[in-house]
């Protein structure tokens, strides 16, 4: 095709006239100039301009502009036109590359900005999901607390359901003072089938609300309840004697023997039996009664659940008794010592299974073997009973081991008020004489003081009792009067400060952090020697932190100075804003609020 095009072009050049040749060359030149203008960035409206036809009157429009003064200043005026064109081309190419780099950087910035916005959106979604998860947890906790509250109300009103007693039992394990003496499965005694079915549903509700807490306890109670339901239904079916009664795997003649083998065994022994029966079922055999062994396995699950709950109950009782003895300072041997035995081998479990597998018949030898095994295992490990705990508690009480322990002076708390035995006896004698004369047990001075100090205490106020120790303080009257600390009841007033920043960033659903807005100090001086001397207060600087100050109160004998650490801000001394400084009826009151600054433009 290229050769054909070349031949056609050569033929056209050979046959064209001079006018056609001139027109062809002009068209070729204009196309070249147009391409050059496009490369220089000219728009469509300037494409048709020529040196002779342009609105600017420029006869050299299509030529390259040469700035002679700039070339002379740069020292390149000696270059010819070809070198200048080459130089301009290099400059244009550098500018084009620089423009491409700028565009590439701009695209990268936009891409990074989009990625940051996407990450922020994902973080916001995760934060909202975490917030909603917290709400869901709070909602589940609220429903659980409501269920426990309903249980307490029903127990208090004497209309408790079985689930209420079980919930009270499991909550008593976390309380050091509450003790439940009976095993939890004893609450099922006397229940009907419908009551137990309701109990199973209530247990499922508690398992969902507690979210995995006490799951073993509720699972064992579910197994025991379902086993009791099956027993009651079997009794109802046997009473009716209907032809549609399902065949139970264990014959009635050996049911009592099976129960005697299971009864009295610990959880570990029952687990060995369970594993042996499972291996026997998996092994199979031509003469193996699968229905018998599966039914036996179901009964064994209920016995294992009872054994787990019984051992858990005994462990809880033992721990609470140990804590009680620790608090009373009594050291004693373990309450229920258990003799450890070597773990039973699988052969023992299989022997026990062979004893269980006795079919109904006149032979009495297998039954005798079972009785011997049960007695030996019962002697090997003691089963804890309620009577043991009661008897041990009575013995400890008779021995005087529940008496409080004598505390030393270094074990007393910092703010403890110690009375001498003679002073306490004298005070008690005066109170008794007053009661005999008047016949009315009036309030003590401390009770009156605290009642007056608590008057008008609002929801935004809290008790403030952080006392600063004063070291190296000596009193001249210490040899005459015994120095003592005055009683006090202080309040701190907190609240929100709704300035412009907090109004912008917080609302009532999401309030700003509370700040201290004032204090109310009530110091009790009932036994001042000099009744005319008024207590004073001194505001001192805090050496370790300039944001706080030390407020010290001084009254006189027989009271020592007392100091508190408060926020260091300017006080509002106006009575309209709640300032109070007075001493009346033996009570020194200092109430003040901090100034609130309002900034205006």
């Amino acid at each position: 095709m290229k050769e054909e095009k070349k031949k056609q072009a050569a033929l056209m050049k050979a046959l064209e006239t001079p006018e056609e040749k001139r027109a062809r060359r002009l068209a070729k030149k204009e196309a070249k100039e147009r391409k050059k203008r496009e490369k220089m960035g000219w728009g469509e409206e300037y494409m048709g301009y020529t040196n002779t036809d342009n609105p600017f009157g420029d006869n050299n429009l299509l030529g390259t502009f040469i700035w002679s003064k700039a070339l002379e200043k740069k020292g390149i005026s000696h270059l010819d036109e070809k070198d200048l064109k080459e130089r301009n081309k290099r400059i244009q190419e550098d500018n084009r590359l620089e423009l491409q780099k700028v565009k590439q950087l701009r695209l990268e910035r936009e891409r990074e900005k989009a990625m940051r916005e996407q990450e922020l959106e994902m973080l916001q979604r995760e934060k909202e999901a975490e917030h909603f998860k917290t709400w869901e947890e709070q909602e589940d906790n609220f429903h659980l607390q409501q269920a426990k509250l309903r249980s307490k109300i029903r127990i208090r009103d004497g209309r408790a359901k079985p689930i209420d007693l079980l919930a009270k039992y499991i909550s008593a394990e976390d309380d050091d003072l509450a003790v439940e003496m009976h095993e939890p499965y004893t609450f099922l005694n006397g229940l009907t089938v419908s009551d137990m079915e309701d109990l199973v549903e209530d247990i499922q509700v508690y398992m969902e609300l507690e979210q995995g807490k006490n799951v073993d306890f509720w699972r064992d109670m579910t197994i025991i309840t379902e086993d009791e339901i099956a027993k009651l239904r079997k009794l109802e079916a046997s009473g009716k004697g209907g032809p549609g009664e399902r065949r139970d795997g264990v014959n009635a003649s050996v049911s009592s023997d099976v129960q005697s083998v299971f009864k009295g065994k610990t959880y570990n022994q029952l687990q060995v039996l369970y594993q042996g029966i499972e291996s026997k079922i998996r092994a199979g055999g031509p003469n193996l009664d699968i229905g018998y062994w599966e039914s036996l396995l179901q009964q064994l699950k209920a016995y294992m659940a009872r054994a787990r709950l019984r051992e858990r109950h005994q462990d809880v009782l033992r721990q609470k008794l140990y804590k009680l003895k620790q608090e009373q300072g009594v050291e004693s041997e373990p309450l229920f010592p258990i003799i450890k035995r070597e773990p039973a081998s699988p052969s023992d479990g299989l022997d026990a299974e062979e004893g269980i597998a006795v079919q109904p018949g006149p032979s009495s030898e297998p039954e005798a073997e079972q009785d011997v095994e049960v007695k030996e295992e019962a002697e090997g490990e003691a089963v804890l009973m309620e009577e043991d705990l009661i008897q041990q508690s009575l013995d400890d009480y008779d021995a005087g081991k529940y008496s409080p322990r004598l505390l030393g002076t270094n074990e007393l708390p910092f703010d403890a008020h110690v009375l001498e035995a003679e002073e306490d006896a004298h005070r008690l004698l005066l109170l008794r004489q007053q009661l005999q004369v008047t016949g009315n047990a009036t309030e003590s001075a401390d009770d009156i003081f605290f009642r007056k100090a608590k008057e008008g205490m609002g929801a935004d106020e809290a008790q403030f009792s952080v006392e600063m120790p004063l070291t190296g303080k000596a009193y001249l009257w210490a040899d005459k009067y015994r120095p003592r600390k005055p009683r006090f009841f202080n309040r701190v007033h907190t609240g929100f400060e709704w300035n412009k920043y907090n109004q912008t960033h917080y609302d009532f659903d999401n309030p700003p952090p509370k700040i201290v807005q004032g204090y109310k100090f009530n110091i009790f001086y009932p036994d001042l020697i000099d009744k005319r001397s008024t207590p004073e207060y001194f505001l001192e600087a805090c050496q370790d932190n300039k944001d706080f100050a030390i407020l010290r109160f001084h009254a006189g004998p027989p009271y020592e100075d007392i100091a508190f650490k408060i926020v260091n801000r300017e006080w509002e001394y106006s009575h309209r804003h709640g300032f109070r400084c007075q001493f009346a009826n033996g009570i020194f009151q200092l109430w003040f609020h901090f100034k609130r600054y309002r900034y205006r433009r």
Side-chain angles (χ1 to χ4, degrees), residues 455-471:
E455 288 180 355
M457 188 171 181
D460 54 351
E461 294 181 346
Q463 187 174 356
F464 173 68
S465 59
V466 182
E467 184 182 349
M468 288 292 294
L470 296 175
T471 58

Side-chain angles (χ1 to χ4, degrees), residues 147-212:
K148 291 182 177 179
L149 181 60
R150 288 194 294 269
S151 298
K152 290 181 180 178
I153 292 174
R154 285 194 292 262
I155 292 174
R156 185 184 60 198
D157 295 344
R159 47 187 180 88
K161 297 169 63 176
I163 189 66
D164 301 335
L165 301 177
L166 292 177
K168 180 184 177 184
Y169 174 85
I170 197 64
S171 62
E173 290 187 359
D174 300 330
D175 189 359
D176 294 338
L177 300 178
V179 178
E180 291 290 337
M181 301 298 297
H182 301 282
E183 287 84 356
Y185 51 80
T186 57
F187 299 139
L188 303 180
N189 297 337
L191 298 182
T192 61
V193 176
S194 59
D195 294 338
M196 291 189 183
E197 290 175 348
D198 295 340
L199 177 60
V200 172
E201 295 179 359
D202 294 337
I203 288 175
Q204 296 300 324
V205 172
Y206 262 84
M207 291 179 68
E208 293 177 1
L209 292 177
E210 290 189 348
Q211 298 178 351

